[in-house]
Coordinates of all heavy atoms in Angstrom, one line a residue:
L276 N 99.8 124.7 54.3 CA 100.3 124.9 52.9 C 100.6 123.6 52.3 O 101.3 122.8 52.9 CB 101.4 125.8 52.8 CG 101.2 127.3 52.9 CD1 100.5 127.8 54.2 CD2 102.5 128.2 52.6
V277 N 100.2 123.4 51.1 CA 100.5 122.2 50.3 C 100.4 120.9 51.1 O 101.2 120.0 51.0 CB 101.8 122.3 49.6 CG1 101.7 123.3 48.4 CG2 103.0 122.6 50.5
G278 N 99.3 120.7 51.8 CA 99.0 119.6 52.6 C 97.9 118.7 52.0 O 97.4 119.0 50.9
G279 N 97.7 117.6 52.6 CA 96.7 116.6 52.2 C 96.4 115.6 53.3 O 97.2 115.6 54.4
I280 N 95.5 114.7 53.2 CA 95.2 113.7 54.2 C 95.2 112.3 53.6 O 95.0 112.2 52.3 CB 93.9 114.0 55.0 CG1 92.7 113.9 54.1 CG2 94.0 115.3 55.7 CD1 91.4 113.9 54.8
S281 N 95.4 111.3 54.3 CA 95.3 109.9 53.9 C 96.6 109.5 53.2 O 96.7 109.6 52.0 CB 94.1 109.6 53.0 OG 94.1 108.2 52.8
Y282 N 97.6 109.0 54.0 CA 98.8 108.6 53.4 C 98.6 107.4 52.4 O 99.3 107.5 51.4 CB 99.8 108.2 54.5 CG 100.6 109.3 55.1 CD1 100.2 109.9 56.3 CD2 101.6 109.9 54.4 CE1 100.9 111.0 56.8 CE2 102.3 111.0 54.8 CZ 101.9 111.5 56.1 OH 102.7 112.6 56.6
P283 N 97.8 106.4 52.6 CA 97.6 105.4 51.6 C 97.2 106.0 50.3 O 97.5 105.5 49.2 CB 96.5 104.5 52.2 CG 96.7 104.6 53.7 CD 97.0 106.1 53.8
L284 N 96.3 107.1 50.3 CA 95.9 107.8 49.1 C 97.1 108.6 48.4 O 97.2 108.5 47.2 CB 94.7 108.7 49.4 CG 94.2 109.6 48.3 CD1 93.5 108.7 47.3 CD2 93.3 110.6 48.8
M285 N 97.9 109.2 49.3 CA 98.9 110.1 48.8 C 100.1 109.3 48.3 O 100.8 109.7 47.3 CB 99.4 111.0 49.9 CG 98.3 112.1 50.2 SD 99.0 113.4 51.3 CE 99.1 112.5 52.9
I286 N 100.6 108.3 49.0 CA 101.9 107.7 48.7 C 102.0 107.2 47.3 O 103.1 107.4 46.7 CB 102.1 106.6 49.8 CG1 102.5 107.2 51.1 CG2 103.2 105.6 49.3 CD1 102.7 106.3 52.2
S287 N 101.1 106.4 46.8 CA 101.2 105.9 45.5 C 101.1 106.9 44.4 O 101.5 106.6 43.2 CB 100.1 104.8 45.2 OG 98.8 105.4 45.3
R288 N 100.8 108.2 44.7 CA 100.7 109.2 43.7 C 101.8 110.3 43.9 O 101.9 111.2 43.1 CB 99.3 109.9 43.9 CG 98.1 109.1 43.5 CD 96.8 109.8 43.9 NE 95.6 109.1 43.4 CZ 95.1 108.1 43.9 NH1 95.6 107.5 45.0 NH2 94.0 107.5 43.3
S289 N 102.7 110.1 44.9 CA 103.6 111.1 45.2 C 105.0 110.8 44.6 O 105.5 109.7 44.7 CB 103.8 111.3 46.7 OG 104.8 112.2 47.0
V290 N 105.6 111.8 44.0 CA 107.0 111.7 43.4 C 108.0 111.4 44.5 O 109.0 110.8 44.3 CB 107.3 113.0 42.6 CG1 107.5 114.1 43.5 CG2 108.6 112.7 41.8
D291 N 107.6 111.8 45.8 CA 108.5 111.6 46.9 C 108.7 110.1 47.3 O 109.7 109.8 48.0 CB 108.1 112.4 48.1 CG 108.1 113.9 47.9 OD1 109.0 114.3 47.1 OD2 107.4 114.6 48.6
F292 N 107.8 109.3 46.8 CA 107.9 107.9 47.3 C 108.8 107.0 46.5 O 109.0 105.8 46.8 CB 106.4 107.3 47.3 CG 106.3 106.0 48.2 CD1 106.6 106.0 49.5 CD2 106.0 104.9 47.6 CE1 106.6 104.8 50.3 CE2 105.9 103.7 48.3 CZ 106.2 103.7 49.6
H293 N 109.3 107.5 45.4 CA 110.2 106.7 44.5 C 111.2 106.0 45.3 O 111.4 104.8 45.1 CB 110.8 107.5 43.4 CG 109.9 107.9 42.3 ND1 109.1 106.9 41.6 CD2 109.6 109.1 41.8 CE1 108.4 107.6 40.8 NE2 108.6 108.8 40.8

Side-chain angles (χ1 to χ4, degrees):
L276 280 61
V277 288
I280 63 172
S281 182
Y282 275 102
L284 178 69
M285 291 189 284
I286 283 174
S287 62
R288 296 168 167 82
S289 175
V290 70
D291 291 335
F292 194 62
H293 282 309

